[in-house]
Amino acid sequence: MTIRLATRASRLALWQTEHVAHLLQKAGFETEIVPMQTTGDAVQDRSLAKIGSKGVFTEELEASLLRGETHLAVHSAKDVQSSIPRELELLAFLERERVNDVVLSFDEKFSLDKPGIVLGTSSTRRKAQLRRFYPNATTAEARGNLQTRLRKLEEGQFDALVLAFAGVHRMGYEHLVRHTLPAHQFVPATGQGSIAIECAADLDEALKARLKAALDHPATHTCLLAERAFLHTMEGGCSIPSFALATLDGGRLRLHGGLISLNGEEYVEEIQTVETAADARALGISVADAVLGRGGREILASIREHRG
């Protein structure tokens, strides 16, 4: 049968979907790619926080699944909201790319320590982390796909861009990377570096099993279960500057999660480890509860009050 793949229409999203299609073809499926424009792609004159970030890059794709027009939706895992409709399920997570944030510039001698630099990013989390760890820098809103942001960089709207390494690598712009930000300090967003595969919950069970076998990376899936349980408990989306990174070493699962205020001044983090990957969801909930109990609730309340 032909598996229809819903995707955003950006070059990066299409690259990711073509990669998924290749894996499915290797497993004996025929594929058809169905590009769509999402709200997040269409609205470029406001920040994600201002347009309401829940599902802005996924809602249209999910609607196509619910209507039975497509079989799978291909997402950047960090774009998937913390709660999805019960009629849908996250079937698989592809093997994760390097999780780090990186700094891109056309200036080969660019330095993050230079006073007064302007760093472009659309991420609330990155803005807050940069304010904390690089107070010499100013952040500026940088919406649009990777090529659009690079054009703005070339025009001089920023001195550098801060982006996820995964997208930079997949699009072939590694030669512009001037700094790799350490993941223990610039802890990434939930799911960063992985591709998530979503389907209708009532899709044929035998077909789901074949699709999962072709696409899923079990270790990445385990890590994402912990991270997404953390995000769900925090009731956060990509407009909330939370962060979570799970790593699996043998059977031991470690989760580093936390929350930072918009100005970067308040910072709560928690690291916990469990001895079995079967406890992934419980680990995510435990880390989130610890963060909320040690000042996270107050940070979230302050953010919501700030945004009205």
Side-chain angles (χ1 to χ4, degrees):
M1 64 178 298
T2 298
I3 301 299
R4 289 170 57 83
L5 304 170
T7 177
R8 292 168 62 192
S10 72
R11 276 180 58 189
L12 177 56
L14 289 170
W15 184 99
Q16 293 176 167
T17 307
E18 287 163 3
H19 177 57
V20 170
H22 174 70
L23 294 175
L24 291 173
Q25 289 159 12
K26 284 176 62 179
F29 291 99
E30 293 186 9
T31 60
E32 179 185 349
I33 294 174
V34 184
M36 301 177 184
Q37 186 177 57
T38 66
T39 301
D41 297 311
V43 181
Q44 293 291 324
D45 60 346
R46 282 170 283 164
S47 68
L48 293 176
K50 288 181 179 176
I51 63 177
S53 62
K54 284 196 173 181
V56 295
F57 292 120
T58 60
E59 189 174 10
E60 288 78 6
L61 279 60
E62 290 178 332
S64 78
L65 294 175
L66 292 171
R67 292 192 298 265
E69 296 169 357
T70 55
H71 299 93
L72 300 177
V74 181
H75 308 293
S76 292
K78 65 183 176 61
D79 290 339
V80 181
Q81 61 270 37
S82 57
S83 297
I84 65 173
R86 64 174 179 227
E87 298 88 357
L88 300 172
E89 69 176 84
L90 291 172
L91 180 67
F93 295 98
L94 274 64
E95 184 172 5
R96 197 173 212 166
E97 178 62 84
R98 273 173 52 191
V99 300
N100 301 73
D101 288 334
V102 292
V103 181
L104 273 66
S105 176
F106 289 105
D107 179 2
E108 294 182 8
K109 297 180 180 179
F110 175 81
S111 171
L112 276 170
D113 297 320
K114 183 179 177 181
I117 55 173
V118 179
L119 302 174
T121 176
S122 63
S123 162
T124 304
R125 170 190 61 84
R126 291 186 185 118
K127 289 174 186 174
Q129 289 171 328
L130 288 165
R131 286 168 186 145
R132 182 174 183 84
F133 297 115
Y134 289 96
N136 59 299
T138 300
T139 61
E141 188 68 25
R143 291 292 316 281
N145 61 38
L146 181 52
Q147 289 72 30
T148 298
R149 296 186 203 193
L150 285 170
R151 176 179 52 76
K152 292 178 179 179
L153 176 62
E154 199 164 21
E155 291 171 351
Q157 295 187 32
F158 329 107
D159 295 302
L161 290 168
V162 185
L163 299 164
F165 172 80
V168 171
H169 172 63
R170 289 164 184 163
M171 289 288 94
Y173 291 110
E174 288 172 87
H175 63 287
L176 296 177
V177 174
R178 307 303 174 204
H179 297 277
T180 297
L181 299 171
H184 71 271
Q185 186 179 61
F186 281 78
V187 187
T190 292
Q192 183 161 304
S194 181
I195 298 169
I197 307 300
E198 190 176 23
C199 69
D202 62 1
L203 191 66
D204 177 76
E205 291 297 328
L207 177 58
K208 281 199 285 190
R210 286 184 62 205
L211 293 168
K212 184 172 182 175
L215 299 173
D216 194 47
H217 186 252
T220 299
H221 201 135
T222 295
C223 290
L224 267 288
L225 288 178
E227 293 174 23
R228 287 187 56 76
F230 169 86
L231 187 67
H232 184 267
T233 306
M234 296 291 292
E235 296 184 357
C238 56
S239 66
I240 298 297
S242 66
F243 49 84
L245 177 62
T247 51
L248 192 60
D249 184 8
R252 300 182 78 226
L253 183 64
R254 176 184 185 270
L255 179 62
H256 183 179
L259 183 67
I260 184 170
S261 62
L262 295 176
N263 61 12
E265 293 179 3
E266 298 169 83
Y267 187 87
V268 183
E269 63 181 342
E270 175 78 7
I271 300 173
Q272 294 182 18
T273 303
V274 292
E275 297 299 324
T276 170
D279 294 329
R281 284 193 176 90
L283 175 63
I285 294 168
S286 178
V287 170
D289 284 343
V291 169
L292 290 169
R294 291 186 14 244
R297 283 191 182 88
E298 290 76 14
I299 293 174
L300 286 174
S302 174
I303 291 169
R304 286 163 183 151
E305 182 180 352
H306 172 78
R307 290 178 176 161

